Amino acid sequence: MYRGGSSYASGSRAATRRHVDYGRTYVVRPKGRHRATIVWLHGLGDSGASWYQLLESLPLPNIKWICPTAPTRPVALLGGFPCTAWFDVADPSQDGPDDADGLEASAAHIANLLSSEPADVKLGIGGFSMGAATALHSASCFAHGRYGNGGRYPINLSAVVGLSGWLPCSRSLKAKVESSQEAARRAASLPLLLCHGTGDGVVPYKQGERSAETLRMSGFRNLTFKAYNGLEHYTIPEEMDAVCKWLTARLRLDGSRA
C-alpha cells in the first residue's frame, strides 16, 4: 500500500497547477503468470480497500489489480460535504455539469499508476458508479490520444469496464473520436463492458443505457451492455461472474493459469 499525490496542469490560458492528495492504494498481486494489470476505481465516498477484498477473491489468477483511493474533496451532489471523489459531481448523468479539471487529474493519476507496468502486460481500467464514469473518461482520453489540456495520453488500453456508471464529458466525445483516423481506430477497437441494474435509484438505468448508446454513436463499436433486472446500486456475484468471463475472453487469458 502507498499514498500518492499528483500535480495537474489545466488547459486554461493561465495554466495553473494544483496538487491533489490521493489516499491509500491497495494492490492485489497475480497468483499466476502476470498477463494483465487493471486499475479499479471505487464509487463516491468509498475507498480502494473495499474493492480490494472482492477483487482478490475473483478467479482471475493472471490479473494484477490496483485499487487506488480518491482524494477527499467537497462534492456538490452532497451540498459541498467533503468525501472521497474522483471529481466533483452535481448530477450523476450526461446532462449535469462536468468537472473537467477533476476528471483530467484523475485520468492522469490512473495513467501514472499503469505507466510502470511491464511492456508485455495488457492494461485496463474498471470501476463502479463514479469510478465507472472516470474509467469511461480515461477511455475517451485513450481514443483521442490526448488529455483535454492537449497533453499526450501515454497508456495503451486493452479493456475498460464500467458498473452502474455514466458517461461524463459526452458532448465533446464524438468530435474527439472523429478528430483523426487513429482516434477512430482506437475507439472502434477498444473493448468496453458496461453493466447496469434496472432498479438503480442512484444512477438510473436509463443513464447507463444512454451512455452505452452515446459511446456506440461516437464510434466505440466494440461495446457490450448488460442489464440486470431489479439490481439496485451495488454489484452481485452474477455480475462479477460476467466481468470475469468478459475479461478472460477480451484479454485472452484462457489457458494461462500457470
Side-chain angles (χ1 to χ4, degrees):
M1 291 180 279
Y2 58 90
R3 289 186 177 272
S6 73
S7 295
Y8 170 69
S10 77
S12 68
R13 190 176 296 176
T16 57
R17 290 183 73 86
R18 71 181 182 189
H19 185 82
V20 179
D21 286 320
Y22 290 82
R24 285 185 174 179
T25 295
Y26 300 79
V27 178
V28 179
R29 303 288 174 188
K31 299 174 182 69
R33 186 157 74 92
H34 186 191
R35 299 283 303 279
T37 297
I38 298 175
V39 171
W40 190 270
L41 307 168
H42 63 76
L44 181 65
D46 204 354
S47 73
S50 59
W51 283 96
Y52 167 88
Q53 295 169 355
L54 174 60
L55 296 170
E56 190 176 36
S57 70
L58 297 181
L60 294 169
N62 306 106
I63 294 181
K64 171 184 174 182
W65 299 92
I66 301 175
C67 307
T69 298
T72 297
R73 69 178 86 219
V75 176
L77 182 65
L78 305 177
F81 184 82
C83 69
T84 53
W86 299 109
F87 54 93
D88 189 18
V89 59
D91 174 16
S93 77
Q94 287 184 224
D95 302 315
D98 292 310
D99 174 18
D101 282 353
L103 281 159
E104 297 280 294
S106 287
H109 180 66
I110 296 158
N112 186 52
L113 290 173
L114 290 168
S115 64
S116 59
E117 292 301 294
D120 62 341
V121 165
K122 294 176 181 176
L123 306 177
I125 304 171
F128 174 80
S129 192
M130 171 180 268
T134 309
L136 292 178
H137 183 69
S138 291
S140 72
C141 292
F142 163 70
H144 190 216
R146 300 193 174 278
Y147 296 108
N149 69 347
R152 187 180 71 86
Y153 186 76
I155 302 301
N156 183 27
L157 291 177
S158 294
V160 172
V161 178
L163 309 183
S164 307
W166 73 96
L167 176 66
C169 300
S170 61
R171 299 168 189 86
S172 59
L173 182 58
K174 198 167 191 289
K176 287 178 179 177
V177 171
E178 293 176 350
S179 65
S180 70
Q181 288 185 336
E182 270 298 293
R185 182 193 62 77
R186 284 191 293 266
S189 63
L190 177 63
L192 291 170
L193 172 64
L194 300 187
C195 302
H196 218 109
T198 61
D200 195 326
V202 178
V203 181
Y205 173 77
K206 285 186 178 179
Q207 287 298 334
E209 200 174 39
R210 185 179 166 202
S211 295
E213 184 59 28
T214 300
L215 283 160
R216 285 197 186 104
M217 296 278 289
S218 300
F220 288 85
R221 300 188 195 118
N222 193 0
L223 186 151
T224 301
F225 181 78
K226 288 184 175 289
Y228 290 86
N229 191 38
L231 179 64
E232 297 178 17
H233 198 64
Y234 50 81
T235 189
I236 52 174
E238 180 188 353
E239 185 180 45
M240 294 312 297
D241 286 346
V243 170
C244 289
K245 289 174 183 174
W246 186 86
L247 286 172
T248 298
R250 295 302 181 275
L251 299 176
R252 298 177 183 173
L253 301 177
D254 284 318
S256 58
R257 297 189 65 85

